[in-house]
């Protein structure tokens, strides 16, 4: 007989719309709807059988920026709610940075929004050491100018990356040491 669906996991755990999410579990072939916070997602494809877990590939609904929620799979045989939460994130949105120029090793403070899940800070093509800190209700990113191999002085684009995309801050002038 048919049994109620069981959601055992999903990947990725965060993303922007339209991020494709793969939900795995048991008896998912009978699922007719997947919801997050009572908002219907789009089921794009499904796979079942051969001793492997069932998989639903879905597109979470748009318009839920900053929201976290659990997935609910619904079928005529019952429903299942994911244990973990999916979090909607946006690409970093940068409002400014200070200072605007400095030597290698200078700490640059970047302000803006959607910084909580920043995975990389770049000066031009070079990955910088960075720190994400909560100040009040705002996340601030501090990046240290890396040892760039450009001839100096040079203007380099500062960019922040997360799973949803890339935000560009503007140009920082890397000065030769002793300048």
């Amino acid at each position: 007989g048919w049994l109620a669906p069981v959601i055992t996991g999903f990947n990725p755990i965060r993303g922007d719309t339209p991020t494709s999410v793969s939900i795995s579990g048991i008896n998912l072939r009978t699922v007719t709807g997947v919801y997050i916070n009572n908002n219907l997602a789009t089921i794009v494809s499904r796979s079942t059988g051969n001793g492997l877990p069932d998989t639903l590939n879905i597109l979470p609904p748009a318009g839920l920026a900053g929201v976290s929620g659990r997935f609910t799979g619904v079928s005529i045989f019952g429903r299942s709610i994911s244990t973990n939460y999916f979090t909607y994130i946006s690409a970093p949105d940068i409002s400014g940075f200070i200072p605007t120029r400095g030597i290698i090793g200078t700490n640059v403070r970047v302000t803006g929004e959607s910084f909580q899940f920043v995975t990389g800070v770049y000066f031009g093509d070079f990955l910088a050491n960075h720190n994400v800190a909560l100040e009040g209700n705002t996340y601030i990113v501090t990046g240290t100018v890396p040892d760039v191999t450009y001839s100096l002085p040079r203007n380099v684009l500062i960019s922040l990356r997360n799973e949803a995309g890339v935000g560009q801050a503007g140009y920082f002038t890397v000065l030769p040491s002793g300048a």
Side-chain angles (χ1 to χ4, degrees), residues 21-159:
V21 177
S22 179
I23 297 176
S24 55
I26 303 163
N27 301 319
L28 298 183
R29 64 188 167 280
T30 64
V31 168
T32 56
V34 176
Y35 297 82
I36 182 168
N37 294 353
N38 296 319
N39 295 282
L40 183 63
T42 302
I43 299 173
V44 176
S45 66
R46 63 179 80 222
S47 61
T48 60
N50 296 335
L52 299 172
D54 294 345
T55 302
L56 294 174
N57 291 308
I58 65 157
L59 292 176
L64 298 176
V67 168
S68 288
R70 298 192 297 182
F71 290 110
T72 302
V74 178
S75 85
I76 61 170
F77 302 103
R79 68 185 184 126
S80 178
I81 300 172
S82 65
T83 303
N84 296 321
Y85 287 78
F86 178 82
T87 302
Y88 284 88
I89 62 171
S90 299
D93 183 13
I94 298 162
S95 57
F97 60 93
I98 52 173
T100 58
R101 52 194 295 141
I103 62 171
I104 291 167
T106 299
N107 287 326
V108 179
R109 178 183 165 94
V110 184
T111 54
E113 296 181 0
S114 300
F115 287 2
Q116 183 176 2
F117 300 107
V118 165
T119 56
V121 175
Y122 290 81
F123 286 77
D125 298 326
F126 294 89
L127 181 63
N129 289 327
H130 73 278
N131 180 54
V132 179
L134 184 60
E135 293 183 9
N137 316 359
T138 307
Y139 285 92
I140 303 296
V141 172
T142 303
T144 303
V145 178
D147 190 4
V148 298
T149 57
Y150 304 126
S151 58
L152 302 176
R154 175 97 174 227
N155 292 329
V156 295
L157 183 64
I158 298 176
S159 60

